[in-house]
Amino acid sequence: MNKKMRMKLVAIMAMGILSVGSLVGCGSGEPAQTETETKPSTEAQDTSKEEPKKDEKPVELVWWTIGNEPADLDAVTDAINEYTMEKLNVTLDIRYASWGDYGEKLSKIVQSGESFDIAFGAGIKGYQDLANKGYFADLTPYLEGTPDLKNFIPEALWQGMTVNDQIIGVPAYKDSAQAQYWVWQQPVVDELGIDITKIKTLEDLDPVLRQMKEKYPDKYPLMLQGLEGINGFIATVCGYDELVVTPSIGVHYEDASATVVSPWEQENTMNNLKIIHKWFNDGLINPDAATATENYKGIMVWAAQGFPHAWTEADGVPVVYEKFYGPAYSTRTIQGSFLAVSAGSKNIDKSLEVIELVNTDEKMRNLLAFGVEGVNYEKTGETTIKKLTDGYEVPAYSQGTFFNMYTVDPAPASMWKDLQAETETAFSSPALGFTFNTQPVQNEVAACSNIESKYRPSLITGSANPEEVVPQMMTELNNAGYQDIITEVQKQLNEYLGK
């Protein structure tokens, strides 16, 4: 999942869902195992809980997470450890790796055998290959020792974290199902009298964009850039769960037969591409869209993944929004944020107890997310706060659930309850839980990815005529083995579904 950089989220998420970590299905295959790699431990461990003895030595767990290390980390960690000692006889050594370094650094740590216990799994480069090699603990037997955690997280999320019949991590129960919104500048909506509740499809949007162009002839109603186009285009505008992201291959969310297809060749995708192309020709889209790489400021309407109360303003302008798709569960959306436990950890059971505490204990969750009350924040209501300093800014989405967290003013106190209620309406992809192993066709995937990347920016921004360019792209893709990839995905998916 991508996010408008200009958006001011009132949620405490520092980054968007699916914006970190390797995306499901776009790996380049399993790297060769070298003699210097340390094999993960596979010894079974006792999963039963015992009350800590007063004279028992505390267990220290190493927890790797993503982001820039906050200035107040030591003080907050001291407060966290005072609580985890009381509850679990555990202390945490919380370590940060920067946004740019985390993926590579943690992948090396995992493979080197360096000792750690918990890590933000979604951010680790090639995490699926590492999971397939056994570097992450299979949590299935240990969850019996943390029943509150097991029962709190819905079964669909556990299914999404199951790879080769093993639960490779604890998913963050939050906006784990993708919901897509049109977000509008409120002054534009008010001035033109736009009923945003009636706009669900590109066909619905068409007359409104033309109305906007007539009212503001010097502006482009839809400002796009080639790396993204309309955010969520294949998944939410067209409705495909991309089992392979590049080149795009997937199943339609409403296809109970789970038939693997090329989204580019489907009638609904072609119709949407033709609409976007007409918008481009009619001057409703910025002419540099295909080559632009940055999001624009001050745009009047855009699509974004979100949830109730996610936006209040953008670039200093009040906004309003309306959902047009979802929420929908897929393996990709669920694996966008999870915590993995090292297979080499000597304390897998204690690691899960800590993760359980984060997800089920309000005090622990808010210590981890916001720091120390009276120092880093103060309460403005029973479950609302305002921040006092910027000394403890962390990506809370990487830690656990949102549903026992405080909300930050001016977000409403009901924010997370409303999100949870929306999430409970989510539907699932017919391929939920499936992860494609690219190894049998890794060369074809690499070649087709390069081909698609040449054409995709111009197609998704309307710069190219899809009736001409899609056939040209498909010829090149098929010559490079695209159909072989589809066949292999279908084979693996059928095996997964027991067909």
Side-chain angles (χ1 to χ4, degrees), residues 297-366:
K297 291 183 178 294
I299 66 177
M300 294 185 284
V301 60
W302 65 93
Q305 183 176 348
F307 47 84
H309 317 298
W311 306 273
T312 55
E313 63 176 42
D315 302 323
V317 180
V319 299
V320 291
Y321 50 89
E322 183 71 22
K323 183 174 65 176
F324 71 85
Y325 188 84
Y329 279 126
S330 71
T331 305
R332 290 181 61 229
T333 64
I334 292 168
Q335 291 187 8
S337 180
F338 70 92
L339 294 174
V341 177
S342 171
S345 170
K346 296 179 180 179
N347 296 286
I348 297 175
D349 51 350
K350 283 294 184 183
S351 297
L352 269 185
E353 288 179 26
V354 167
I355 297 172
E356 179 180 58
L357 195 67
V358 171
N359 282 277
T360 61
D361 185 284
E362 182 178 294
K363 180 175 180 179
M364 176 64 178
R365 184 68 188 97
N366 288 289

Side-chain angles (χ1 to χ4, degrees), residues 46-65:
D46 181 9
T47 62
S48 61
K49 282 188 181 181
E50 293 182 1
E51 289 295 325
K53 299 176 182 178
K54 291 184 178 180
D55 59 349
E56 185 179 1
K57 184 179 179 180
V59 173
E60 182 180 66
L61 302 177
V62 174
W63 183 339
W64 276 102
T65 194

Side-chain angles (χ1 to χ4, degrees), residues 74-84 363 367 371-372:
D74 289 345
V76 174
T77 301
D78 287 344
I80 290 172
N81 285 340
E82 182 179 349
Y83 193 60
T84 55
K363 180 175 180 179
L367 267 171
V372 179

Side-chain angles (χ1 to χ4, degrees), residues 77-95:
T77 301
D78 287 344
I80 290 172
N81 285 340
E82 182 179 349
Y83 193 60
T84 55
M85 275 288 294
E86 172 191 338
K87 289 289 187 177
L88 304 173
N89 198 38
V90 166
T91 62
L92 299 176
D93 177 2
I94 302 175
R95 304 177 185 179

